[in-house]
Structures are given as C-alpha cells and as structure tokens.
Amino acid sequence: MQQTFSVPEIHCSSCVMLLEELEDECDPVRSVKVNLAKKTAEVDFDEDQMSTEEVVEEIQKISGYRAVPNV
C-alpha cells in the first residue's frame, strides 16, 4: 500500500535522510520517497504487516518528526 504523509517539521536534506532510514529500519516498508518542498513522505508498505498508525509511530521513533496521513 502506498500512503502519503504530511511531515511539516522537515526543512533540510538531513531531515530527508532521517525519514529515508525508515526503509532500512522497518521491514514492512518497501520504499520511502520524501518531497522536501511539499514536506511529504510517500511510504510504500505491506499493509498485512503494518497499519498506517504504525507507520506514523515508526516515523516518529526513527526521525523524531510528527507525521499525519494525507486523506
């Protein structure tokens, strides 16, 4: 499942690198594409192994940033 999350606190390339670590740190996550200009992260994850809420929690845990799923 692909889900886009708003991550309003990101502001630089280091922030992007932190968010992209989600792909390496969390097995159900297949890919992470961060758009710094839009302050979003598109996360492709296995919805059988992880919920949208769990993705939000992992983003917070790994990067320290608050994420909100876009509807």
Side-chain angles (χ1 to χ4, degrees):
M1 168 181 203
Q2 281 193 336
Q3 175 77 45
T4 302
F5 297 85
S6 174
V7 191
E9 299 166 327
I10 63 173
H11 61 275
C12 67
S13 59
S14 293
C15 298
V16 172
M17 288 174 43
L18 277 174
L19 287 170
E20 289 174 344
E21 284 183 24
L22 182 64
E23 188 175 338
D24 296 328
E25 299 293 324
C26 193
D27 288 338
V29 175
R30 297 181 193 113
S31 68
V32 178
K33 295 177 185 165
V34 180
N35 184 319
L36 182 57
K38 293 183 179 180
K39 298 188 179 224
T40 60
E42 184 178 287
V43 181
D44 183 14
F45 62 98
D46 183 344
E47 63 186 314
D48 292 332
Q49 295 183 28
M50 181 176 232
S51 68
T52 299
E53 293 80 19
E54 289 172 316
V55 173
V56 169
E57 291 171 10
E58 286 297 315
I59 289 172
Q60 173 73 37
K61 182 175 125 185
I62 290 170
S63 70
Y65 299 123
R66 179 179 55 86
V68 179
N70 290 357
V71 180

